Amino acid sequence: MCSALGKVLCLGKEMFLKQAFALSRVTAARESPICAVGSTLLSCNRHYRSQPTHGIGRFRHLLPPEPSKKKRDRIRMKEICAGSDHEYGDLNIQMTAYDMCLVEHFAQYVHKLCNRFSIRVNESYAMPTKTMEVMLLQEQGSRQYLDAVLTTHQRVVQISGLSSTFAPVLLEVIQSNQPEGVHLSVKEHTEADFKVRLKARPELEELMAQMS
Amino acid sequence: MARWRGALWSRGQMMAAPMQRALYGGAVRWRWALGPRWVSASAAPRWRLAGALCLQRPPSITQALSPEQEAMAQLAHQIEVEKSNFSDYEIRRLAEEEQLKKRKDNTYDDEADSGQAIVLAQDLEDAWEQKFQRFKAGPRITDADKRNDRTSLNRKLDRNLMLLVKEKVGNQELWLLPQAEWQAGETLRSTAERALATLSGNCIQAKFLGNAPCGLYKYKFPRALRTEGSVGAKIFFFKALLQSGDLLQAERREDYVWVSKGELGDYLKPDYLKQVNRFLMDQ
């Protein structure tokens, strides 16, 4: 009886051991992720080089090789597309005002509007601020005194690919939403417009003048 | 009968075709026997073309804010002011106020006083305040608004105003946008420009926004007037913005009116109005 029970117990124990081993293996597998949610013991296993997941997330080797940039790259002008019979080429929407917040908000509005209408916006940039001093003649004397300092801000949104059937609609929308105090003009983009953005180099110009 | 239907639709297979398919096949065959519709007419219908001009005077002042917008604008302004730093003028003003206070309380140094500005910020502000009191802004609601004089351009300065003329079409007098009949060899935009020129002489300078029309209205003549060459008319609308000038100098005085979008319903016929409303921006 005892021996039979003992056999039964032994058998039972073996089975129990096997089950316990299986369970422990399962729990070990579950604990191997870096943070097991809800577990009291946070196991911090870092993906060391021997782990199969080493290098997960590596992408630089997949990108095409970049050409090495020269130290001083001359800014080249992008090709100005001229436009055909049914489409306008590069157009500059220039907004000028004394109030910077107003003109910036309007420029953002125009940019988002063009995105909404699926018109390609090439560039959206600001021209340097121009400061004007307003000198008024004094009432009593003939001296001029400083009355105010006005700053003129200009923002430009460059678009291309505007079809001639859609242009009147876009222009009307922009004009009817023009805020007070903002001067709006739509012009074709020229090389002169691009050159205005670059700084003048007086020494270089002097040397060129001396050479020629 | 059943055999005919079956032969049509089954294409040489089983003779008995299902009822619905046979009916459909029968219907198709009947329509094909008549022939396609465009073949039956001898020639395409001819339409008379016209170019019409939608001359708009753009608004010169912005519309007043609604109460919610007003409250929001005030709140935003208050937040902005409270979050902002002092400007140069305000720093100068505060410094001078402190100097004045020191002068009242303590005995002031002559050395510190030598760097004082001749013109105080307070004086400047007083001068500006006086200048502001002298400034008179133009009225937002003009005389023409009060009199509801629809022929004047000074009315409703915050809305678009459109030109309507009264013309005799057929045997009735109708209010419509100024139009001219298209002549062979000219573009429709030049037709609209011609309409403007005949209407106003050279008084009005208008800027057309583009070569493409913004709207179309087509109608058929009553049966009595239909001829072989013209079944009806198609009117193409072109938008233009008024730069300067007015119709006061032109010859016709009683037949024109400048109206906003809401007042168009008083003048235009319903079908015409529906087509015109399609290309007018909401104001």
Side-chain angles (χ1 to χ4, degrees):
Chain A
M1 186 77 173
C2 279
S3 60
L5 268 176
K7 270 190 206 161
V8 164
L9 278 170
C10 286
L11 272 175
K13 239 200 257 175
E14 271 175 24
M15 293 290 289
F16 174 75
L17 277 171
K18 270 193 205 151
Q19 276 177 10
F21 181 63
L23 272 173
S24 68
R25 250 218 327 228
V26 164
T27 44
R30 258 195 257 129
E31 271 170 10
S32 61
I34 279 192
C35 61
V37 176
S39 66
T40 46
L41 307 163
L42 262 183
S43 56
C44 306
N45 289 335
R46 294 187 67 217
H47 291 163
Y48 194 65
R49 289 186 211 145
S50 60
Q51 291 281 359
T53 49
H54 171 68
I56 196 170
R58 207 162 66 103
F59 68 96
R60 284 275 152 83
H61 63 288
L62 297 170
L63 295 176
E66 264 180 32
S68 57
K69 255 178 77 170
K70 270 198 318 208
K71 221 177 153 188
R72 281 288 293 271
D73 229 0
R74 249 187 58 191
I75 302 172
R76 269 168 226 293
M77 192 176 72
K78 282 186 226 171
E79 292 249 345
I80 302 178
C81 77
S84 62
D85 266 346
H86 303 288
E87 259 192 18
Y88 285 99
D90 287 339
L91 288 178
N92 276 351
I93 304 178
Q94 291 168 340
M95 293 150 279
T96 323
Y98 292 126
D99 186 2
M100 188 179 78
C101 299
L102 202 58
V103 76
E104 271 202 358
H105 281 279
F106 188 48
Q108 283 176 10
Y109 165 75
V110 166
H111 195 139
K112 283 190 192 166
L113 192 78
C114 292
N115 285 347
R116 248 339 241 289
F117 287 149
S118 316
I119 300 173
R120 195 169 70 241
V121 175
N122 290 342
E123 280 181 86
S124 171
Y125 56 87
M127 296 295 283
T129 314
K130 295 187 190 140
T131 315
M132 268 193 301
E133 290 184 342
V134 177
M135 314 281 277
L136 283 183
L137 212 57
Q138 264 180 348
E139 288 124 20
Q140 282 88 36
S142 61
R143 220 161 53 99
Q144 285 184 337
Y145 70 94
L146 182 65
D147 190 38
V149 173
L150 293 175
T151 48
T152 307
H153 308 268
Q154 186 177 30
R155 301 283 181 273
V156 178
V157 176
Q158 197 182 94
I159 56 176
S160 72
L162 183 65
S163 72
S164 60
T165 46
F166 189 65
V169 174
L170 179 74
L171 286 176
E172 210 193 322
V173 170
I174 296 183
Q175 267 182 326
S176 52
N177 284 308
Q178 202 181 345
E180 298 154 311
V182 173
H183 180 259
L184 174 76
S185 83
V186 181
K187 288 188 198 152
E188 295 189 339
H189 184 59
T190 57
E191 198 171 325
D193 287 328
F194 177 74
K195 289 272 190 277
V196 161
R197 291 178 73 190
L198 303 176
K199 264 169 103 163
R201 283 150 83 182
E203 318 94 20
L204 188 68
E205 277 162 24
E206 244 181 86
L207 288 171
M208 299 278 279
Q210 275 180 9
M211 263 170 52
S212 59
Chain B
M1 190 67 159
R3 222 183 4 197
W4 164 75
R5 280 193 218 139
L8 165 73
W9 204 236
S10 58
R11 292 175 198 269
Q13 285 173 1
M14 300 262 294
M15 289 294 274
M19 198 59 170
Q20 304 99 325
R21 281 170 70 201
L23 274 175
Y24 177 63
V28 162
R29 187 166 182 267
W30 168 75
R31 259 195 278 147
W32 186 250
L34 255 191
R37 209 177 291 165
W38 51 268
V39 169
S40 57
S42 52
R46 293 289 318 278
W47 299 84
R48 304 220 346 225
L49 300 180
L53 173 71
C54 172
L55 187 64
Q56 281 188 334
R57 184 221 66 182
S60 36
I61 53 179
T62 47
Q63 294 182 0
L65 297 174
S66 70
E68 296 91 12
Q69 283 175 330
E70 189 70 55
M72 188 65 209
Q74 272 186 359
L75 180 67
H77 181 68
Q78 192 185 356
I79 292 175
E80 196 190 316
V81 165
E82 286 177 13
K83 270 190 178 177
S84 66
N85 296 329
F86 285 127
S87 67
D88 290 338
Y89 170 75
E90 280 174 315
I91 294 176
R92 178 180 156 191
R93 174 108 181 259
L94 288 170
E96 282 174 10
E97 274 181 14
E98 277 196 26
Q99 266 189 356
L100 282 176
K101 239 197 279 179
K102 271 193 204 157
R103 254 202 267 167
K104 275 192 210 158
D105 299 338
N106 320 335
T107 55
Y108 60 93
D109 307 325
D110 281 323
E111 294 143 27
D113 198 18
S114 58
Q116 197 193 27
I118 306 162
V119 187
L120 285 180
Q122 189 65 40
D123 302 338
L124 275 177
E125 207 168 306
D126 291 335
W128 292 338
E129 188 68 36
Q130 280 181 8
K131 220 170 164 184
F132 181 64
Q133 298 298 331
R134 272 181 274 156
F135 170 73
K136 284 272 175 306
R140 288 178 76 98
I141 303 187
T142 57
D143 293 334
D145 269 323
K146 292 179 194 152
R147 281 178 289 142
N148 201 12
D149 175 17
R150 294 202 171 174
T151 55
S152 102
L153 267 181
N154 259 342
R155 203 168 73 90
K156 290 210 172 180
L157 293 173
D158 58 350
R159 288 184 190 272
N160 271 341
L161 285 185
M162 267 174 53
L163 180 66
L164 286 185
V165 287
K166 197 168 187 180
E167 273 186 26
K168 203 166 151 83
V169 170
N171 49 0
Q172 26 171 328
E173 294 253 343
L174 288 179
W175 280 103
L176 33 76
L177 299 174
Q179 67 188 42
E181 183 99 25
W182 175 75
Q183 283 155 8
E186 63 173 3
T187 59
L188 276 167
R189 178 178 154 168
S190 47
T191 315
E193 283 167 357
R194 191 160 54 85
L196 177 66
T198 46
L199 181 67
S200 71
N202 272 333
C203 322
I204 290 196
Q205 272 81 44
K207 188 175 177 72
F208 282 82
L209 289 174
N211 285 334
C214 52
L216 165 69
Y217 174 64
K218 66 180 190 190
Y219 64 98
K220 286 192 172 164
F221 298 138
R223 283 191 187 271
L225 291 176
R226 273 185 223 182
T227 63
E228 196 54 50
S230 56
V231 169
K234 285 188 184 174
I235 308 181
F236 291 88
F237 299 103
F238 286 84
K239 252 192 200 169
L241 290 181
L242 179 74
Q243 310 275 126
S244 65
D246 195 5
L247 276 182
L248 292 173
Q249 294 91 15
E251 300 89 41
R252 46 199 302 179
R253 295 243 27 196
E254 323 83 24
D255 298 326
Y256 71 91
V257 121
W258 293 94
V259 285
S260 67
K261 186 178 173 185
E263 295 159 0
L264 279 177
D266 302 337
Y267 295 88
L268 298 179
K269 288 272 165 77
D271 295 332
Y272 196 79
L273 177 68
K274 197 170 101 164
Q275 294 298 97
V276 167
N277 269 340
R278 286 183 66 172
F279 61 80
L280 290 183
M281 304 257 174
D282 270 330
Q283 278 284 300

